[in-house]
Amino acid sequence: MSEPIAHSGVWVLALIMIVLVSWYLYKYLAPKSWHEWAGVGVVQAFIIALYAEMYGFPLTIYLLARFGGLDRTELNANLWSSLLGMGETGMMISMILGYILLFIGIGLFFQGWRQVHRAREQHTLVTDGLYALARHPQYTGLFIALFGEGIVHWPTLFSVGLFPIIVFIYYRLALREETKVITEYGAEYIRYKKRVPMFIPRREQWKSFVKQAKI
């Protein structure tokens, strides 16, 4: 494929984004067990694939143009722009929508982290704030952020393929964490578990949930 593709080839920026995002990932997810390392590792792969294609080489566009019959006349590094033929307009729309979800997700993640950190210092079970609406709001925030950046803003074959795997891994990790918490808090956590959803707040609670996404 010899057609030029806009918005690609900036490998320095790709490297900066991968290192920066990965640093925050390991700092705040703080993996300890091999299950946690496995989850973070898959998210790391998601990040590398995403930013390598976003700023480096658009492998997804290349493969779809070479083998998938994608129209080569108006190629853009952004998949939505190329698929819908909307050029810069399509890229701008996907960027805005993706960033909205990204920042909501980051806000939920950090707010959930603050609540857990505070509860651990006080040796208490956290059931208020975000945790009154979802049992694992940190993971909900992570899912929303990755969906916004890797599916809505800049979808690639790897980010789309890895996203459901990430959700499944963290679902399993959440189950393991809950088993440990039940051992520590017993009936108190079981009662909490019965009344609060795991990841997705009830429909009428979403507005309150998102409002608490403070970075």
Side-chain angles (χ1 to χ4, degrees), residues 65-85:
R66 180 70 176 82
F67 303 106
L70 184 66
D71 185 4
R72 302 185 184 192
T73 58
E74 294 186 13
L75 292 179
N76 190 292
N78 182 279
L79 181 59
W80 291 125
S81 299
S82 297
L83 286 177
L84 301 178

Side-chain angles (χ1 to χ4, degrees), residues 137-188:
Q138 279 185 278
Y139 295 161
T140 304
L142 178 66
F143 299 155
I144 292 173
L146 294 180
F147 183 83
E149 186 73 338
I151 307 296
V152 177
H153 177 202
W154 209 276
T156 72
L157 293 176
F158 292 101
S159 63
V160 172
L162 286 174
F163 182 76
I165 297 175
I166 291 171
V167 172
F168 177 74
I169 287 175
Y170 278 95
Y171 166 72
R172 298 290 298 175
L173 185 58
L175 292 178
R176 291 179 180 275
E177 291 174 351
E178 290 188 346
T179 299
K180 293 179 181 179
V181 177
I182 290 174
T183 301
E184 184 175 357
Y185 290 97
E188 182 182 1

Side-chain angles (χ1 to χ4, degrees), residues 18-36:
I18 289 170
V19 171
L20 183 63
V21 175
S22 297
W23 182 81
Y24 276 102
L25 175 71
Y26 283 97
K27 178 180 179 181
Y28 289 101
L29 282 181
K32 296 181 179 64
S33 68
W34 75 268
H35 296 285
E36 293 175 347

Side-chain angles (χ1 to χ4, degrees), residues 48-65:
I48 293 173
L50 174 64
Y51 289 111
E53 288 207 37
M54 185 181 295
Y55 299 114
F57 179 73
L59 180 62
T60 295
I61 301 297
Y62 173 83
L63 292 175
L64 290 179

